[in-house]
């Protein structure tokens, strides 16, 4: 063992410049790899954060319809009337919850039936907003149909309240309060 150490020390003294050059090459190589990985990660993060802006997608909810437009050169768009919306479902993975994005599935009574929108910002809030607009649209239509009075009989109003409860627009407590008002209790 001492022989090996003595030989190594002789080699280091004789060619310390080559040994120094070797370690410098290793350090530069490691630094280059770390730098390249860091730049790639930064570009990926920036692109994923700005993906909607880069693709030119717009998701708008009006009092009458849901409008989605995408594309810069090749364009694609869809409009879903609120009265045709049957169900709105959102999905978020753990990572999407951290990023504040997710998928939105809108089921409608049209030719296509279902539309999936990916990378929607705050899909739970969008879902609630769509439900609110659908209920407001139904209420406006009901008021117009009855000449400005109450909409339908008590049974149909209870069905509407139950639908709002099932969609999550009303909490169980709010449902019970509205139910009592309708039943006069």
């Amino acid at each position: 063992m001492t022989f090996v150490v003595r030989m190594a020390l002789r080699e280091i003294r004789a060619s310390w410049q080559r040994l120094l050059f070797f370690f410098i090459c290793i350090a530069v190589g490691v630094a280059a790899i770390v730098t390249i990985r860091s730049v790639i990660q930064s570009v990926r993060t920036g692109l994923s954060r700005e993906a909607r802006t880069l693709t030119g997608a717009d998701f708008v909810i009006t009092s009458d319809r849901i409008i989605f437009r995408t594309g810069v050169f090749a364009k694609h768009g869809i409009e879903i009337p609120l009265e045709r919306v049957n169900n709105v479902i959102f999905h978020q993975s753990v990572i999407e919850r951290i990023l504040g994005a997710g998928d939105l599935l809108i089921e409608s009574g049209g030719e296509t039936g279902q539309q999936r929108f990916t990378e929607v910002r705050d899909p739970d809030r969008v879902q609630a907003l769509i439900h609110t607009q659908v209920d407001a649209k139904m209420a406006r239509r009901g008021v117009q149909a009855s000449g400005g009075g109450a909409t339908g009989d008590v049974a149909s109003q209870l069905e509407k309240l139950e639908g709002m409860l099932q969609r999550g627009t009303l909490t169980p407590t709010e449902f019970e309060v509205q139910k009592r008002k309708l039943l006069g209790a």
Side-chain angles (χ1 to χ4, degrees):
M1 182 80 170
T2 58
F3 174 74
V4 173
V5 172
R6 277 190 286 152
M7 290 302 289
L9 288 175
R10 280 187 194 159
E11 284 295 317
I12 290 173
R13 274 188 250 140
S15 59
W16 65 272
Q17 294 160 339
R18 279 192 253 155
L19 183 64
L20 181 63
F21 179 72
F22 174 74
F23 283 125
I24 289 174
C25 287
I26 296 270
V28 168
V30 168
I33 290 170
V34 168
T35 302
I36 289 171
R37 292 197 68 144
S38 175
V39 167
I40 289 171
Q41 185 63 32
S42 295
V43 168
R44 269 194 197 145
T45 303
L47 285 177
S48 66
R49 193 178 325 123
E50 300 297 326
R52 278 288 176 210
T53 306
L54 292 172
T55 59
D58 292 316
F59 192 82
V60 178
I61 303 167
T62 69
S63 60
D64 294 320
R65 65 189 71 244
I66 300 165
I67 304 168
F68 181 77
R69 302 268 188 260
T70 185
V72 177
F73 298 110
K75 295 204 172 231
H76 171 73
I78 185 168
E79 293 186 16
I80 305 170
L82 288 177
E83 57 266 5
R84 289 197 177 178
V85 173
N86 295 329
N87 199 8
V88 182
I89 303 166
F90 78 92
H91 177 266
Q92 284 182 301
S93 66
V94 174
I95 294 173
E96 287 174 327
R97 286 195 64 179
I98 293 168
L99 296 174
D103 298 340
L104 199 65
L105 178 71
I106 299 176
E107 295 177 355
S108 63
E111 291 179 20
T112 55
Q114 292 184 344
Q115 287 295 321
R116 178 174 299 281
F117 302 99
T118 59
E119 299 176 20
V120 175
R121 190 174 281 262
D122 297 322
D124 53 340
R125 287 181 47 213
V126 173
Q127 179 194 37
L129 180 60
I130 290 172
H131 284 308
T132 302
Q133 292 291 13
V134 166
D135 293 337
K137 176 84 172 176
M138 291 172 77
R140 281 193 310 273
R141 201 170 58 190
V143 167
Q144 290 170 355
S146 65
T151 59
D153 61 349
V154 174
S156 67
Q157 289 181 4
L158 282 173
E159 287 177 15
K160 288 180 184 177
L161 281 175
E162 186 177 358
M164 292 171 69
L165 176 66
Q166 289 174 352
R167 288 192 302 267
T169 306
L170 289 177
T171 64
T173 308
E174 293 170 331
F175 172 75
E176 288 299 324
V177 168
Q178 294 297 325
K179 180 177 156 185
R180 283 191 203 109
K181 283 182 184 178
L182 283 173
L183 297 175

